[in-house]
Amino acid sequence: MALLSALRRACICNALIFFTVCFAGDRFVSFELEYTYVTKSPLGVPQQVIAVNGQFPGPVLNVTTNDNVMVNVRNRLDEDLLVTWPGIHMWRSSWQDGVHGTNCPIQAKWNWTYQFQVKDQIGSFFYFPSLLMQRASGGFGSFIITNRPVISLPFGFPDGDIVMLIGDWYTKSHKALREDLDNGKELGMPDGVLINGKGPYRYNSSLVPDGIDHETINVEPGKTYRVRVHNVGVSTCLNFRIQNHNLLLAETEGTYTSQQNYTSLDIHVGQSYTFLVTMDQNASSDYYVVASPRLVNQSVWEKVTGVAVLHYSNSKGKASGPLPDPPNDFYDKSYVINQALSIRQNVSASGARPNPQGSFHYGSVNVTDIYILKSVPPVTIDRKRRATYNGISFVYPDTPMRLSDIYHVPGDYKLDFPNKPMNRPPKMDKSLISGTYKGFIEIVLQNNDTVVQSFHMDGYSFFVVGMGYGEWTENNRGSYNRWDAISRCTTQVFAGGWTAILVSLDNVGVWNLRTENLDRWYLGQETFMRIINPEDTSNKTENPVPDNVLYCGALSSMQKQQKTSSAVVHGSSDLMLSMMLLSAASIYILH
Ligand SMILES: *[C@@H]1O[C@H](CO)[C@@H](O)[C@H](O)[C@H]1NC(C)=O
Ligand SMILES: *[C@@H]1O[C@H](CO)[C@@H](O)[C@H](O)[C@H]1NC(C)=O
Ligand SMILES: *[C@@H]1O[C@H](CO)[C@@H](O)[C@H](O)[C@H]1NC(C)=O
Ligand SMILES: *[C@@H]1O[C@H](CO)[C@@H](O)[C@H](O)[C@H]1NC(C)=O
Ligand SMILES: *[C@@H]1O[C@H](CO)[C@@H](O)[C@H](O)[C@H]1NC(C)=O
Ligand SMILES: *[C@@H]1O[C@H](CO)[C@@H](O)[C@H](O)[C@H]1NC(C)=O
Ligand SMILES: *[C@@H]1O[C@H](CO)[C@@H](O)[C@H](O)[C@H]1NC(C)=O
Ligand SMILES: *[C@@H]1O[C@H](CO)[C@@H](O)[C@H](O)[C@H]1NC(C)=O
Ligand SMILES: *[C@@H]1O[C@H](CO)[C@@H](O)[C@H](O)[C@H]1NC(C)=O
Ligand SMILES: *[C@@H]1O[C@H](CO)[C@@H](O)[C@H](O)[C@H]1NC(C)=O
């Protein structure tokens, strides 16, 4: 009872603070996430990984459309931490985005509480630590926004919900990988692919050493499961497939797709998908679940393959024999583009609201600004190996950019990011894009790098209207999908190719644009888009600075020292309990 009343009191305080920035009536949910190092051996070699509440990968955060979410992040690592929530729109509040450049880091031994509303969103996303290559050591978990019961799903209610985090993996720590990059090296081939933090099933004794723990997915025959797959890796595109089972694609990063069966799908770094999978096989044995590298030489990368096991409750034996084949498209470069463009939205399905997803006719809105963002292989600037967009390798200002606006910190950043590649030597700079509030922009991503890249934009979803090889020209606009292009937050840009996206700039703040390939990002291939409403004098289109904001850089004298609280270990059951108690308490307050 003491615990309960303490939690209630905590929630009442939180709720009162939070009230000023949120819509009353929506539920409050609260999570505690503690970041620590633990030792694991996912590939048979003991190594330090980043756990969340003692778990690797971190817990699933499962919230409902319009929930007010509070996440208290405790940093028990030995370096700065920020947690980011790609795809969550953080409506009007880049204060909560959790990336360097807009948020001061949570210092070692400190904690900080994110407060945001998942307004008008549904779907599958994941969170991860955004600083210092930490994602390469873990710290990630699935972030799910369940639809409100009043909005129907465009498919039958699934019999179960399965989360799979797939990603390439190094036995070196993120610190060692960072050092390699700082010394001008490439990261090289990863040591393996993990599925839910575990190494491959021993499908071949010469390729997979003994003693590695693999993931097993337990299912019932005849049932249909919602399988959410996230590529949380460093830089490798993975082909995902389940032996003998169709993957009915249903949703990606918050948009319901036009449902289609795939035998396998390429999932690029940072992307999330939902598949509906029906257990319609005879269970003569278990089945392989495979995540294998794509767009690389597969015979060289053979050992770098993630394999889990799909186990029917009536299974008659272990999975054996060769893995199901990946697509054989070496001589058909168009295969990957056709697959990407086949992913379209279901315009008649309801998303987070009852009106159809396709009711915003993006295809007939006039474009106000055009940006071409070109990436090339890493270059040398000031004797350092750096990665660029349009010849600029981004350097973080000392002070978060929106804070320096409000506190008039001079010279913190520049608004001179070129809107197309410039014919001049590459440089390091604090250059931002200045976006027009309520503008509708076209961004052409031109990838002259030798590897496929993922492009991500915080604070927004965008329409992926076109993709192709070679140099983009205005003539390519004729091929754009202006009717049912997918709306998402992370898209691939193939090596030697381009991807065109359309974005409606309705979210005020300073938002990160970056490659999700962790090595290129670390080397500076990113910038920010600053979108300000010049007419707003009363904080209507942007939330005010949160009460608990952290100060650093030129404003560090405003930051109070934090008392370092003692460690709290939360198991997942504690997490659920406190979440339930808090939401019960919130309902109690609100009615
Ligand atoms: C740190 O956590 C405590 C609860 O343990 C909370 O009261 C406090 O507000 C948190 N600090 C910040 C800055 O979020
Ligand atoms: C699109 O959504 C509608 C409405 O929920 C649903 O009935 C239909 O099956 C979906 N179509 C496809 C192709 O996914
Ligand atoms: C998320 O919550 C919804 C609704 O409570 C539930 O149906 C679903 O199974 C949950 N998913 C996961 C992965 O926990
Ligand atoms: C295991 O993999 C090796 C290397 O690809 C291959 O030569 C061998 O035939 C495989 N063994 C089995 C039993 O499939
Ligand atoms: C997808 O495949 C399943 C069999 O696995 C089949 O029952 C279903 O009709 C297919 N759906 C579509 C939209 O093709
Ligand atoms: C089960 O399915 C597999 C693959 O489709 C087939 O080869 C096998 O003969 C089937 N076994 C039985 C007992 O039906
Ligand atoms: C893949 O690598 C192997 C071994 O280095 C080489 O023999 C082969 O030609 C390569 N394949 C392709 C398609 O480049
Ligand atoms: C778009 O621009 C065209 C030509 O400038 C103009 O005729 C049209 O009305 C505009 N459409 C919208 C929706 O503003
Ligand atoms: C990069 O650009 C150069 C010059 O336009 C071109 O020759 C080359 O093929 C391009 N490479 C890739 C991978 O796009
Ligand atoms: C708007 O927010 C700023 C801080 O972000 C605050 O200083 C100002 O007083 C607020 N204005 C109004 C009208 O609430």
Side-chain angles (χ1 to χ4, degrees), residues 374-377 446-451 469-471 494-497:
K374 183 171 182 174
S375 52
V376 296
Q446 184 77 54
N447 184 7
N448 194 245
D449 199 348
T450 51
V451 293
Y469 288 112
E471 288 280 323
F494 291 106

Side-chain angles (χ1 to χ4, degrees), residues 154 257-259 346 348-349:
T257 62
S258 179
Q259 288 164 31
N346 179 340
S348 64

Side-chain angles (χ1 to χ4, degrees), residues 145-174:
I145 311 178
T146 298
N147 58 310
R148 291 173 292 156
V150 292
I151 313 287
S152 58
L153 288 167
F155 43 83
F157 195 80
D159 297 306
D161 200 339
I162 295 167
V163 167
M164 301 192 101
L165 299 159
I166 62 175
D168 58 357
W169 187 260
Y170 293 84
T171 51
K172 277 186 184 175
S173 72
H174 67 283

Side-chain angles (χ1 to χ4, degrees), residues 244 281-284 287:
N244 283 13
Q281 295 300 298
N282 61 21
S284 54
Y287 299 95

Side-chain angles (χ1 to χ4, degrees), residues 29 34 94 156 161 212 233 245 262 282 346 350 574:
V29 293
E34 184 175 52
S94 50
D161 200 339
I212 288 182
H245 290 74
Y262 294 83
N282 61 21
N346 179 340
S350 301
D574 282 358

Side-chain angles (χ1 to χ4, degrees), residues 503-521:
V503 199
S504 175
L505 298 183
D506 53 359
N507 196 6
V508 172
V510 175
W511 303 105
N512 191 214
L513 274 64
R514 62 173 179 264
T515 175
E516 279 296 5
N517 301 51
L518 212 44
D519 52 336
R520 298 293 194 262
W521 183 16

